[in-house]
Amino acid sequence: MGGHLVANANLKALSDIGVSIWLDDLSRNRIRSGGFDDLIAEYHLVGATSNPTIFAGAVSKEPEYDEQVAELAKAGVSTDQAVRTITTDDVRDAADIFRPVHESTGGVDGRVSLEVDPRLAHDTDKTVAEAIDLWKAVDRPNLMVKIPATLAGLPAITKVIGEGISVNVTLIFSVERYRQVMDAYLAGLELAEANGHDLSSIESVASFFVSRVDTEIDKRLDAMREGHPLRGKAAIANARLAYAAYQEVFSTERWNALQAQGARAQRPLWASTGVKDKSYSDTRYVDELAAPNTVNTMPESTLQATADHADVRGDLVTGTAAESQQVFDDLAAAGIDLDDVFKALETEGVEKFEKSWTELLDTVGQRLVREGG
């Protein structure tokens, strides 16, 4: 029992600062085994996210999908349709588990995210159409539809928010793109208001990727010299600059007018907070990015590490913009092409999700043939 008390202390401390703790994982086994219920009860878990990579892993490994795949094969559905049915069923069931959290937090948390087909990342109209379809298919008020922050994704975010749909904007790497995302959100709220939607029912988060920024920049620093003093400083500085931008945008007159109509601020969400470099503390992207009104979506290993030995020292983000900007000035002076870094990360992010989606389609397609045969 002692472990649970320690676990609660660290995660409660984060929660008290104003960090919503979400799990970066979703699978049928976790839904059916009561895994989510335990984490909600003991680990202050208030939400979950899925992505194509997570689903590809679950469907290829878990026997819990066998029965449904057999039924879908018998019904003769296409692979695309089968994947949609499987993923929307999982997300709907997870949303039902989180529904009490959704109600007790006044609709802020208890959210479950489902991604539009990543192959549509560069097609605005198809992204909008699919986001609306997913919202209707899952049919739960605590769903968030995930839309990538590509240039084609930005107008899609505005249109989807304008339909009164809650959105998790994913794959944000740079502060510059993040500002465009916040602008797309505000424009979406203005559109939703014009369309007669209740603004207080719309919730959004902006998923700002963390560890991948260090991975990419550290690789470039290592190529310059071993043990570069700027190693491991970029990701946290980048996220802290994003938080400063969030504080600025959500105190403007444009925002105040929307807030007066019941709108909710789009919270920054720290994504990709599992540490990829073993020389770093495994809770650094949790400890260093604790701040009010944020979400940290953690893989289970990071959640367990945080519960066990996080070093939660209060809000370490507010008021750090100047020193964070200095890190970026130093990186630029050292010869790191930051525009190229962010472009490379976005391209790689979209490709990774596309590849995982293709793997998911392949896995389900092969099983449909096997069951159907």
Side-chain angles (χ1 to χ4, degrees):
M1 188 62 198
H4 292 286
L5 292 173
V6 174
N8 270 347
N10 287 342
L11 294 160
K12 181 177 187 309
L14 272 180
S15 194
D16 288 347
I17 290 165
V19 179
S20 291
I21 298 156
W22 292 6
L23 186 71
D24 195 17
D25 192 30
L26 198 159
S27 74
R28 196 158 290 185
N29 173 270
R30 197 182 282 286
I31 290 163
R32 292 187 179 170
S33 67
F36 274 132
D37 302 288
D38 294 347
L39 293 173
I40 291 167
E42 294 165 16
Y43 280 59
H44 289 265
L45 190 72
V46 293
T49 53
S50 66
N51 65 40
T53 308
I54 286 167
F55 273 126
V59 176
S60 64
K61 291 189 201 77
E62 293 185 6
E64 280 85 354
Y65 294 97
D66 293 352
E67 194 183 326
Q68 184 172 27
V69 172
E71 280 169 17
L72 292 166
K74 213 179 289 169
V77 304
S78 71
T79 303
D80 276 301
Q81 189 50 52
V83 165
R84 266 296 159 236
T85 303
I86 289 165
T87 54
T88 51
D89 282 1
D90 277 1
V91 168
R92 188 182 308 110
D93 291 344
D96 288 342
I97 293 170
F98 281 99
R99 191 67 174 269
V101 176
H102 183 249
E103 284 162 9
S104 68
T105 59
V108 174
D109 282 311
R111 296 277 171 176
V112 182
S113 298
L114 175 62
E115 190 129 1
V116 294
D117 182 337
R119 294 172 299 179
L120 308 178
H122 302 296
D123 188 320
T124 303
D125 294 340
K126 285 183 177 166
T127 294
V128 172
E130 173 143 347
I132 294 169
D133 284 351
L134 290 177
W135 182 254
K136 288 178 181 162
V138 175
D139 192 26
R140 293 295 182 270
N142 52 330
L143 172 70
M144 274 187 167
V145 180
K146 265 186 166 180
I147 297 176
T150 53
L151 287 173
L154 295 169
I157 292 157
T158 297
K159 287 182 178 160
V160 173
I161 294 281
E163 295 289 332
I165 294 170
S166 293
V167 172
N168 175 341
V169 183
T170 187
L171 289 176
I172 307 171
F173 296 99
S174 71
V175 176
E176 181 190 7
R177 181 59 54 85
Y178 175 46
R179 284 183 178 277
Q180 294 173 297
V181 166
M182 289 189 282
D183 187 62
Y185 174 61
L186 296 181
L189 289 173
E190 288 156 354
L191 183 60
E193 191 181 2
N195 289 339
H197 291 289
D198 170 11
L199 297 191
S200 69
S201 70
I202 301 168
E203 186 73 29
S204 184
V205 292
S207 295
F208 203 83
F209 279 56
V210 184
S211 64
R212 292 186 194 183
V213 173
D214 270 342
T215 303
E216 181 64 30
I217 290 181
D218 285 355
K219 182 176 80 184
R220 297 179 185 216
L221 290 169
D222 289 345
M224 290 175 183
R225 68 180 246 218
E226 207 181 323
H228 200 290
L230 289 170
R231 240 186 151 270
K233 294 205 169 146
I236 288 164
N238 198 35
R240 286 174 173 169
L241 286 169
Y243 191 77
Y246 152 77
Q247 288 181 302
E248 179 197 313
V249 170
F250 289 99
S251 58
T252 56
E253 288 192 8
R254 182 186 184 191
W255 164 246
N256 293 340
L258 288 162
Q259 194 176 27
Q261 299 301 315
R264 301 168 187 254
Q266 180 187 54
R267 292 180 293 169
L269 177 151
W270 312 131
S272 176
T273 53
V275 172
K276 311 259 195 297
D277 186 324
K278 297 289 179 252
S279 68
Y280 298 146
S281 154
D282 56 1
T283 62
R284 71 185 308 235
Y285 300 129
V286 178
D287 304 338
E288 303 288 336
L289 294 177
N293 219 27
T294 58
V295 179
N296 195 311
T297 176
M298 311 178 198
E300 190 170 14
S301 56
T302 305
L303 181 70
Q304 298 288 359
T306 301
D308 183 61
H309 55 259
D311 183 17
V312 182
R313 307 185 297 286
D315 174 1
L316 297 187
V317 179
T318 303
T320 59
E323 61 187 89
S324 300
Q325 185 56 52
Q326 190 58 55
V327 171
F328 272 77
D329 293 346
D330 293 346
L331 285 164
I336 297 291
D337 181 345
L338 294 161
D339 287 342
D340 185 66
V341 165
F342 294 131
K343 207 160 121 193
L345 284 167
E346 181 183 297
T347 304
E348 180 194 44
V350 171
E351 281 171 1
K352 270 185 180 166
F353 281 165
E354 269 191 35
K355 186 166 172 267
S356 297
W357 192 254
T358 306
E359 281 167 19
L360 178 58
L361 290 167
D362 288 349
T363 301
V364 172
Q366 285 161 9
R367 288 176 70 168
L368 286 171
V369 169
R370 238 184 5 250
E371 298 288 344

